[in-house]
Amino acid sequence: MKNYWILLLLAFIATSCQDFAEERLTTSENTTIETRASKVGSADYYWYNGEKIHLTRSEKYVNVVTNGKLVKSSKAEVTTNSLSRNEETKYVLPFFERGEGVEPIGTSDIFYLKLKQSEDITLLEKMAAELGVQVFKEIPYTPRWYTLSILGSKFSSSIEASNYFYETGKFEDVDPAFMFDFKPSANDPDFWRQWGMNNTSHPGIDINAILAWNITRGAGVKVAVVDSPIESGHDDLDDNIHSLSYNANLMRTPSAPYVQGFYPPAFIGTENHGTHVAGIIGAEKNSSQVMGVAYESEIMRVSHYLLSSNTFSAEMASGINWAWQNEADVINCSWGDQGGQAYNQLHSTILEQAITNAMTQGRKINGTSKGSVVVFASGNYGHSNPGYIDYPGNFHPNILVVGAIGSNGSRLNTSSYGTALDVVAPGGSIWSTIPQGNTDYMSGTSMAAPHVAGIAALILSAYPNLTRQQVVNKIESTTQKVGGSYSSTSGRPNGTWNSQTGYGLVDAYVALTGTPAIVPNTPVISHELFPQPNSNQVTVVFSVDSPQSGVTYQWELNGTIMAANDPNPYIAFLSALLTARNVQPTTIRLTLRCRAVYRGSCSAWSNSIFHGVQSLTPILYTPGI
């Protein structure tokens, strides 16, 4: 047997890890099918949603199965001589390109297969035995999907094997198990730190949580947090932790606990992530530390260490399937593979079906599926991979994809953006729970997504019979337009939109009520002149007659909008303006007007003052030229 594997590997290397010795596979039913192994030089491809998707092999890496372990290796280092000397090397498995500037993605011995019906397991086991393919148990909470391995078979890769089984026409679907690298996208005493709830530095640039809490606080809603292990005993979380939980790594209940120091080395640095996300959604109002957006909702823990493996997609799919099958109303996923532009060609069918099932079959009310609200972070590669959203958040338009802004209303530089972006939420320096009973700041779209998941929980608490789409419509159509200009966009029915901030900043109160708490009125303004003695300056004080409570005022001078939300009254020293414009003495040319602003909603502009030419007495005002 060892000699067979050495010959196979020598043939593999001789064809530059692309072409294989001629091979035909024949089943006991006398069905002979040509595989890639019989087509020397044929292009790589795989099957996705019934379509053949072509692939480009990477010349940078391969995965080598040696001594029973899968090891990522430089392709240049994997030579015929080194392989022939190592009799324990069984397979050299390909990586595939994902686009310029993005690391290629690997494959392993694993692939997934979905039966057409449960009874077909007998057929699968028979064919697999004839071909030397191993069949493992059905993936938990993922009906009719099985994990298979090519180790010991005639196949040279999971791509080849999955194509073979699919092309028999006897099975519903396959997934070659690309090795995606899903990563985290990062009245209580510390409430003042939570600018995302109530922004005192930049009033109105927040999710308007305080007013929303007068209506609901999320009671009766279950939010699944698919993330790293959550410290369920945290003082700000323990009363809001649901009794049901799931360990996606092991694909069984209960969730992995947070235990300080008991994690793989690669996990260090993300160990706080799940607890922080959970706190943003559902930290208790208990006069301890912080408060969550939906602080009376329940958190369902779906733990995963977020470390890449050859069964990563199946593990995440199992976790999401468990969540909706156990009645999660909202599912928050603050993670993704951060190379999103390549996913027009690289997909995980098993993971995508889990997400789709959650959105279509979740939240059953009186036997009718209303759909779970699935929220994904957009990703943190906006600075280096502009214009693309992380996978799998970008694969389906019904996923609610969330980008991040800072406390000034601008998109975080790192926040990924593009055509799949739906809304933005606070994501810069967000204060929330971390393990060992502590709190700390974290930043990123990982922090923005749970703000939106929390708002979805508030909406479902107030309106439990809404469908998933109705919840999403409320969130998207009631946003505050921050960070740029917006326009009508095809395929975006819920208002004006742009690629950097989506529909805009989410507003919990308006999403619940449909109307803002304050409608800004068009102001009426007046002015007074105050010439400065022995000076070429004159001070003009502009003021709003009968200012409206709760709004701020934005001013426009000679067609240029001044710093947003300048206080009323507005004071101008005009000599510098006159000098800069070379205006003749005794003459002032300017136009000034203002409008009222409340949480991004603006009134009409006021009347204009000093429109045209206004003459002043030279004795009182003599500007220097």
Side-chain angles (χ1 to χ4, degrees):
M1 189 62 178
K2 289 184 177 180
N3 290 336
Y4 170 79
W5 286 117
I6 293 172
L7 289 173
L8 176 61
L9 288 168
L10 288 172
F12 180 84
I13 295 299
T15 53
S16 301
C17 296
Q18 293 181 355
D19 305 328
F20 296 85
E22 184 171 346
E23 186 76 53
R24 289 174 181 266
L25 301 178
T26 305
T27 69
S28 61
E29 300 173 352
N30 293 319
T31 301
T32 301
I33 295 180
E34 285 191 345
T35 68
R36 270 199 321 104
S38 66
K39 299 177 182 178
V40 177
S42 63
D44 288 294
Y45 68 91
Y46 78 105
W47 291 96
Y48 170 71
N49 284 344
E51 295 184 7
K52 184 182 288 187
I53 308 297
H54 292 282
L55 300 169
T56 301
R57 290 210 180 198
S58 169
E59 295 300 318
K60 189 173 183 180
Y61 300 115
V62 291
N63 276 330
V64 179
V65 179
T66 304
N67 299 320
K69 296 181 179 180
L70 188 72
V71 180
K72 180 180 178 180
S73 303
S74 167
K75 189 171 182 179
E77 295 175 356
V78 180
T79 64
T80 302
N81 290 335
S82 65
L83 287 176
S84 63
R85 289 194 300 267
N86 186 352
E87 294 184 355
E88 293 301 320
T89 297
K90 301 298 185 184
Y91 289 89
V92 179
L93 303 166
F95 276 64
F96 294 98
E97 295 293 343
R98 298 195 288 172
E100 185 177 352
V102 182
E103 283 291 283
I105 194 165
T107 57
S108 71
D109 59 293
I110 294 294
F111 69 100
Y112 312 120
L113 180 145
K114 187 178 185 181
L115 304 178
K116 289 185 176 180
Q117 52 189 4
S118 297
E119 293 76 14
D120 291 339
I121 183 60
T122 302
L123 171 64
L124 173 60
E125 289 175 339
K126 181 180 180 181
M127 289 183 61
E130 293 175 354
L131 298 168
V133 172
Q134 302 176 57
V135 179
F136 301 107
K137 66 180 182 178
E138 186 178 36
I139 297 170
Y141 299 95
T142 311
R144 308 198 316 276
W145 276 101
Y146 286 80
T147 302
L148 292 82
S149 171
I150 65 170
L151 293 182
S153 76
K154 298 181 179 181
F155 294 104
S156 58
S157 70
S158 63
I159 298 285
E160 182 184 18
S162 63
N163 288 347
Y164 171 79
F165 278 89
Y166 185 78
E167 289 165 3
T168 65
K170 299 179 184 299
F171 305 101
E172 182 172 325
D173 220 332
V174 291
D175 183 329
F178 294 115
M179 295 178 66
F180 296 107
D181 191 15
F182 301 126
K183 294 295 185 186
S185 293
N187 163 5
D188 285 30
D190 286 343
F191 182 70
W192 64 272
R193 300 177 186 267
Q194 295 181 262
W195 70 264
M197 309 289 190
N198 182 39
N199 193 340
T200 56
S201 298
H202 299 275
I205 307 298
D206 54 54
I207 67 167
N208 208 4
I210 293 177
L211 286 179
W213 292 333
N214 293 327
I215 302 170
T216 179
R217 292 156 292 282
V221 177
K222 298 180 287 294
V223 183
V225 178
V226 185
D227 214 302
S228 61
I230 295 168
E231 185 180 54
S232 58
H234 195 292
D235 286 346
D236 264 353
L237 293 172
D238 52 1
D239 288 343
N240 286 349
I241 297 295
H242 195 277
S243 59
L244 297 180
S245 64
Y246 189 73
N247 185 326
N249 283 103
L250 300 179
M251 293 191 276
R252 68 188 186 198
T253 59
S255 169
Y258 179 89
V259 181
Q260 178 68 18
F262 286 87
Y263 294 108
F267 183 64
I268 303 303
T270 60
E271 67 271 22
N272 296 342
H273 195 266
T275 303
H276 199 272
V277 168
I280 295 170
I281 297 169
E284 306 161 28
K285 182 182 180 182
N286 58 4
S287 300
S288 178
Q289 292 172 315
V290 297
M291 294 165 60
V293 176
Y295 60 77
E296 291 182 1
S297 64
E298 290 185 283
I299 300 297
M300 301 179 76
R301 294 165 294 148
V302 182
S303 67
H304 196 285
Y305 291 124
L306 301 179
L307 300 175
S308 183
S309 72
N310 57 357
T311 56
F312 206 169
S313 296
E315 292 161 11
M316 304 309 276
S318 179
I320 290 170
N321 278 328
W322 176 90
W324 72 261
Q325 290 175 34
N326 282 275
E327 302 180 347
D329 301 296
V330 183
I331 302 175
N332 187 87
C333 302
S334 288
W335 44 268
D337 192 294
Q338 299 172 341
Q341 81 269 36
Y343 296 105
N344 58 344
Q345 66 185 44
L346 295 173
H347 297 260
S348 169
T349 300
I350 191 172
L351 178 57
E352 291 180 9
Q353 287 188 5
I355 295 168
T356 302
N357 289 341
M359 295 189 294
T360 57
Q361 300 178 39
R363 273 186 61 237
K364 280 188 169 59
I365 299 178
N366 297 324
T368 301
S369 296
K370 300 291 186 176
S372 300
V373 179
V374 177
V375 180
F376 266 87
S378 70
N380 296 326
Y381 272 58
H383 59 303
S384 60
N385 190 18
Y388 297 101
I389 304 297
D390 280 3
Y391 180 81
N394 66 349
F395 98 89
H396 198 291
N398 288 346
I399 297 171
L400 191 51
V401 178
V402 185
I405 62 165
S407 61
N408 63 355
S410 298
R411 178 183 67 84
L412 289 187
N413 180 50
T414 54
S415 179
S416 296
Y417 60 93
T419 57
L421 181 66
D422 294 310
V423 293
V424 291
S429 298
I430 301 301
W431 187 256
S432 184
T433 49
I434 63 169
Q436 301 186 72
N438 293 322
T439 50
D440 203 355
Y441 292 104
M442 293 180 71
S443 295
T445 59
S446 283
M447 286 61 252
H451 281 88
V452 177
I455 292 176
L458 294 178
I459 294 171
L460 287 172
S461 178
Y463 309 104
N465 291 319
L466 291 182
T467 65
R468 178 205 60 79
Q469 188 60 58
Q470 288 171 324
V471 174
V472 171
N473 289 346
K474 281 182 172 290
I475 292 172
E476 292 181 346
S477 63
T478 57
T479 55
Q480 178 183 165
K481 306 301 182 181
V482 298
S485 60
Y486 294 72
S487 61
S488 297
T489 304
S490 176
R492 290 292 182 176
N494 286 327
T496 54
W497 178 92
N498 76 37
S499 64
Q500 300 268 334
T501 51
Y503 285 109
L505 171 61
V506 291
D507 188 310
Y509 177 80
V510 183
L512 285 165
T513 63
T515 57
I518 298 174
V519 177
N521 299 323
T522 303
V524 175
I525 60 175
S526 57
H527 70 284
E528 290 184 82
L529 301 178
F530 295 92
Q532 302 299 305
N534 304 314
S535 170
N536 66 350
Q537 291 186 334
V538 58
T539 299
V540 186
V541 177
F542 301 100
S543 60
V544 174
D545 298 342
S546 302
Q548 184 180 4
S549 178
V551 304
T552 54
Y553 291 97
Q554 184 181 67
W555 300 86
E556 181 191 78
L557 178 62
N558 290 340
T560 300
I561 294 179
M562 311 302 287
N565 301 323
D566 283 340
N568 169 60
Y570 179 88
I571 301 175
F573 293 90
L574 296 183
S575 62
L577 288 172
L578 291 167
T579 301
R581 289 166 174 75
N582 196 26
V583 178
Q584 295 300 314
T586 77
T587 301
I588 299 175
R589 291 186 178 92
L590 61 84
T591 300
L592 186 136
R593 59 182 184 169
C594 84
R595 61 185 177 184
V597 180
Y598 176 74
R599 304 191 66 85
S601 297
C602 302
S603 71
W605 286 105
S606 70
N607 56 307
S608 297
I609 294 183
F610 284 163
H611 183 69
V613 176
Q614 171 73 36
S615 296
L616 298 177
T617 304
I619 295 174
L620 295 176
Y621 177 56
T622 306
I625 303 300

